[in-house]
Amino acid sequence: MALDTFESAPPRAVVHRILVVDDNDSVVESLTAVLEGAGYDVVVARDGGQAHSAFTMRHPDLVLCDLKLAGNETGFEICERFKQSNRKIPVVMLTAIDLPRARKLAERVGADGYLTKPIPAADLLVQIRSIADAVYQKSLAEDSPPATPQAIRFACRCGKRFKVSEQHRGKTLTCPSCGEPVVVPRHA
Ligand SMILES: [Zn+2]
């Protein structure tokens, strides 16, 4: 790989610990085997209560969440609360429910991905990586402060003063005071 290619590669998320929220023993067992086999540290929660304490206490880097769970909270509600408390942690719905309505709702509560079970292990691992990277890159973009546009101040020949944003440099506007054209200076 050429050095410049390497340097221009987008930053990647670091995922070490994954919280699996699912109440089905065989699903939990197979997910744990796949994820641990890929080097992840797996934390399991079987309902909303366990999910929330694990999210707070164990600091997962990513959450895989089923939709239908035992207890009184659905995966949608769990996802919504997770995203409200820390939206930088990717939450991926992993469910047997493949309905457009469920996908829409997942999106609305902030889910970063929607995968359907059963999913081949290799696909799951690829999806986890790419969703985590996408969320990480998005959060980096949100963290970097937007460039503050510099205001340009100038005056019309009639004395009317203007303050406009930088993007108007060189444009001509009509002075509301005297009606004459005024050119926004290219240099402050
Ligand atoms: Zn004027």
Side-chain angles (χ1 to χ4, degrees):
M1 187 192 288
L3 188 59
D4 58 347
T5 312
F6 178 75
E7 282 179 342
S8 64
R12 306 206 65 188
V14 176
V15 179
H16 174 60
R17 179 169 294 159
I18 296 180
L19 170 60
V20 171
V21 185
D22 203 305
D23 58 358
N24 181 305
D25 287 338
S26 64
V27 170
V28 165
E29 203 174 299
S30 67
L31 276 178
T32 303
V34 167
L35 297 172
E36 285 183 347
Y40 293 111
D41 180 16
V42 178
V43 176
V44 175
R46 291 170 192 278
D47 58 30
Q50 288 182 9
H52 293 294
S53 56
F55 189 77
T56 314
M57 313 288 290
R58 306 294 303 278
H59 304 290
D61 304 302
L62 183 137
V63 179
L64 281 177
C65 189
D66 192 12
L67 285 184
K68 284 207 286 190
L69 294 158
N72 48 16
E73 251 184 312
T74 66
F76 296 118
E77 291 160 317
I78 292 170
C79 172
E80 187 165 39
R81 280 175 62 188
F82 281 178
K83 294 308 279 188
Q84 280 167 356
S85 80
N86 185 347
R87 65 200 172 97
K88 289 183 184 176
I89 306 298
V91 177
V92 181
M93 308 318 295
L94 180 58
T95 172
I97 301 168
D98 191 7
L99 295 170
R101 260 180 51 206
R103 285 178 183 272
K104 272 229 172 75
L105 187 53
E107 204 176 303
R108 207 177 310 150
V109 296
D112 301 290
Y114 192 104
L115 306 176
T116 49
K117 310 186 270 204
I119 181 170
D123 292 356
L124 175 66
L125 296 172
V126 166
Q127 290 291 337
I128 284 173
R129 280 257 40 121
S130 80
I131 293 167
D133 286 340
V135 174
Y136 181 60
Q137 283 150 25
K138 200 172 116 198
S139 79
L140 283 182
E142 284 170 359
D143 284 348
S144 54
T148 36
Q150 220 186 317
I152 305 168
R153 293 161 195 274
F154 58 99
C156 175
R157 272 177 298 177
C158 74
K160 170 84 180 163
R161 292 177 178 278
F162 298 95
K163 185 176 149 191
V164 301
S165 68
E166 210 168 20
Q167 75 212 48
H168 297 300
R169 281 187 195 286
K171 287 183 190 162
T172 303
L173 51 87
T174 304
C175 174
S177 208
C178 66
E180 293 294 316
V182 195
V183 179
V184 179
R186 287 190 179 278
H187 303 285

